[in-house]
Amino acid sequence: MKNGENYNSSRRVFLKGIAASLLIIPFFNSCKEQAIRLIIRLSGTNHILGHKLRVKNFPKPSKQITIPYLIVGGGITGLSAARQLTKRGKYDFLVLEMEDHLGGNSSNGENQYSKFPLGAHYLPLPNIEDKELLRFLEEERIIIGFDQEGLPLFDETQLAFAPEERLFYKNSWQEGLVPKTMHGSREEQEIELFFSMMEVFRKAKDSSGHYYFDIPLAQSSKDSNAKQFDQHTMKEWLVKEGFTAKLLFEYVDYCCRDDFGLGINYVSAWAGIHYFAGRKQNSSKQKNETVLTWPEGNARLAHHLKKYAEGKSMKNHLVYEVAVKEGKAIAKVFDNNQKTSFEIIADTIIMATPQFVNQYLFENRKDFTKDFHYTPWLLATLVVTDLNDNMSFPLCWDNVIHGSKGLGYVFDQHQNVEQIQSKKVITYYYSFSSADLSKTRREIYKMPKKHWEQLVFADLSIAHPDIQTYTESIDIHLLGHGMISPVPGFIFGANKAKASQNIANRVFFAHSDLSGISIFEEAFHQGISIVNHIIDGTSVDS
């Protein structure tokens, strides 16, 4: 769903309101008016293959491949690294990916009515200082030019169409995601104060001119005044500042679960504030508070990056051991198609893989990777013949239900020029925020499809009481390690820094979890930065 780049827009709407496919099991769902055949498909990342890393029962390597550069991991970071190697004139590289596709969490599915996201689904307009991202968006014709002041002009068909977002609150849909409340109430006053404080944080800089909260995070201030916010949870910070309004706590909790998987009880206050303050809203005068989005979500951005790995990638290949011997980096690889193993000998290996994978590939890493917490996610894409509600505000791209357990749903066909569809396709998001994410992860893989069907329908029926009647199919997608979740002490922690250190100047690490938050920009910059560091000995992006 949309993150803090749009909070000023929601604030204005708030004030305006005050002032004014692994298993397919069919079954019949009967009702008084009609019987609909509901199809449930359950999919997810290849956790079964991934779990083979625990036992390492692989055949002995039968051959060797030699190459200058090896990229392990075909998500956004790995693809960004492939792009940067190409731009730096290094063409002899190989990308390995465990899944049967590239893109990582920026992937998608498709049915006969629409494409739909299987993870990240939008990109906020970038900060004007983010020249590398602006350059990429211009290359891909997402930015179509610049105005006289040098601000980017975006292709309007790739900006979220209006109406963009709505909230179901007190049995009615309202525009925006901040609950409207009574004029002069304590809730109104606290929400206003909170937004004012976030505006201060958005502009705050240290004595050297670095923003306290910036994107990419590597550019953010390391000043002690900024780092102090990483020592508390977001809820502790809210209480410390004297906030008490339940509506505010619920709204900020939604925002934190949306971007970090974890709610305010667990996520770092630094991360929680960054949600609102990291985006400077100064990149364009053209629909400044909207986002870039597509039916397939950020898989569109992954598609643009994939061309740099064309003919240079191997999918369904699992790296199960990495070591440095005699001045060379050596990776042992399992080919899941042929059920054989081989070795790749490289001058340089870029590990564009998360730390929950790396801990099984290298010796003595589990001691510090234990500080990396990953929240599981569920996505459910529904095909519905109708989507009835009380019509108090029209269907939007982003639709959030106050008081629900999930994070609402996106209307996947919202960007279609032809706005009349025979069936509607929506994708529902749910993060499993908990105090014990490992236990939660184990439990979700034990649950039957019927459990997830009931969870999704129970949540959506708050706003759409008859949605089960009109649903034809549900595609449920589980992500056991959906995103890095920054708990207190992690963003500026020693173990995160330790996990970033290269091995013998042969094996280098780059992933969004090494920045601390799981957004496209961080993964994108990680890939660029690591390549520049390898070639130039510097981590500067450009």
Side-chain angles (χ1 to χ4, degrees), residues 23-66:
L23 293 172
I24 303 178
I25 297 183
F27 66 92
F28 289 93
N29 174 37
S30 300
C31 66
K32 293 182 180 180
E33 297 181 356
Q34 65 186 95
I36 293 181
R37 190 169 184 267
L38 178 61
I39 299 175
I40 302 178
R41 288 175 286 263
L42 179 62
S43 67
T45 52
N46 195 343
H47 68 282
I48 296 175
L49 177 59
H51 285 179
K52 286 174 69 69
L53 288 173
R54 296 175 183 270
V55 295
K56 293 196 175 181
N57 184 22
F58 298 102
K60 291 183 178 181
S62 58
K63 64 178 180 179
Q64 289 184 334
I65 297 174
T66 301

Side-chain angles (χ1 to χ4, degrees), residues 7-8 11 192-206 210-213 229 237 241 273-274 276-281:
Y7 84 87
N8 270 339
R11 174 175 176 266
E192 274 294 280
L193 176 59
F194 176 80
F195 283 145
S196 296
M197 294 179 71
M198 294 304 104
E199 181 68 11
V200 172
F201 284 129
R202 187 179 71 84
K203 298 176 180 178
K205 293 183 178 182
D206 63 18
H210 290 95
Y211 283 113
Y212 275 19
F213 305 93
F229 298 105
W237 180 83
E241 294 299 321
I273 296 170
H274 183 276
F276 298 93
R279 304 194 187 282
K280 309 307 176 185
Q281 299 181 325

Side-chain angles (χ1 to χ4, degrees), residues 115-375:
K115 294 179 180 179
F116 54 86
L118 292 177
H121 60 284
Y122 70 97
L123 175 66
L125 301 190
N127 293 340
I128 192 64
E129 295 87 358
D130 195 344
K131 303 301 183 184
E132 196 67 52
L133 181 53
L134 291 174
R135 187 176 298 114
F136 167 66
L137 297 178
E138 185 180 13
E139 291 171 1
E140 304 306 332
R141 298 298 296 163
I142 297 170
I143 291 176
I144 58 175
F146 293 83
D147 65 16
Q148 293 181 345
E149 297 180 27
L151 299 177
L153 301 172
F154 293 89
D155 175 7
E156 290 192 354
T157 65
Q158 301 185 67
L159 295 168
F161 294 165
E164 293 180 29
E165 56 187 11
R166 64 176 182 169
L167 175 71
F168 190 77
Y169 177 61
K170 291 187 176 180
N171 297 317
S172 183
W173 289 105
Q174 63 172 52
E175 184 179 7
L177 300 184
V178 182
K180 296 181 176 71
T181 186
M182 293 180 61
H183 179 63
S185 67
R186 175 173 55 84
E187 287 85 358
E188 177 200 349
Q189 294 171 1
E190 288 201 8
I191 290 172
E192 274 294 280
L193 176 59
F194 176 80
F195 283 145
S196 296
M197 294 179 71
M198 294 304 104
E199 181 68 11
V200 172
F201 284 129
R202 187 179 71 84
K203 298 176 180 178
K205 293 183 178 182
D206 63 18
S207 58
S208 61
H210 290 95
Y211 283 113
Y212 275 19
F213 305 93
D214 205 354
I215 298 173
L217 266 66
Q219 296 178 359
S220 296
S221 173
K222 308 301 187 296
D223 187 274
S224 59
N225 291 326
K227 292 168 68 173
Q228 65 173 319
F229 298 105
D230 194 36
Q231 302 306 310
H232 312 282
T233 67
M234 190 60 181
K235 183 175 181 179
E236 289 171 342
W237 180 83
L238 288 168
V239 171
K240 174 177 172 292
E241 294 299 321
F243 292 108
T244 60
K246 182 181 178 182
L247 275 181
L248 176 62
F249 278 64
E250 291 173 338
Y251 171 69
V252 179
D253 185 70
Y254 159 81
C255 295
C256 289
R257 287 186 294 128
D258 176 44
D259 244 30
F260 315 118
L262 293 180
I264 59 175
N265 289 319
Y266 312 113
V267 78
S268 158
W270 191 96
I273 296 170
H274 183 276
Y275 177 97
F276 298 93
R279 304 194 187 282
K280 309 307 176 185
Q281 299 181 325
N282 58 359
S283 61
S284 176
K285 294 180 179 178
Q286 180 186 25
K287 296 189 71 177
N288 189 48
E289 285 115 8
T290 189
V291 299
L292 293 157
T293 189
W294 308 268
E296 67 270 38
N298 285 9
R300 176 72 65 90
L301 298 172
H303 172 75
H304 291 311
L305 290 169
K306 285 178 186 177
K307 61 175 172 282
Y308 296 99
E310 188 172 349
K312 301 179 181 181
S313 65
M314 292 182 176
K315 298 179 280 291
N316 288 308
H317 281 67
L318 174 67
V319 173
Y320 62 88
E321 186 178 308
V322 179
V324 177
K325 296 180 181 178
E326 299 178 356
K328 293 287 186 178
I330 303 174
K332 293 183 179 180
V333 184
F334 176 67
D335 181 344
N336 195 40
N337 295 320
Q338 302 298 322
K339 308 303 179 187
T340 59
S341 293
F342 60 93
E343 286 185 340
I344 296 180
I345 301 175
D347 296 326
T348 301
I349 294 181
I350 297 174
M351 299 299 302
T353 43
Q355 309 320 305
F356 67 82
V357 171
N358 291 340
Q359 67 180 340
Y360 295 107
L361 306 184
F362 301 88
E363 295 181 354
N364 304 318
R365 291 187 74 86
K366 291 186 179 181
D367 287 343
F368 54 87
T369 56
K370 69 181 186 301
D371 283 351
F372 288 74
H373 302 277
Y374 303 85
T375 303

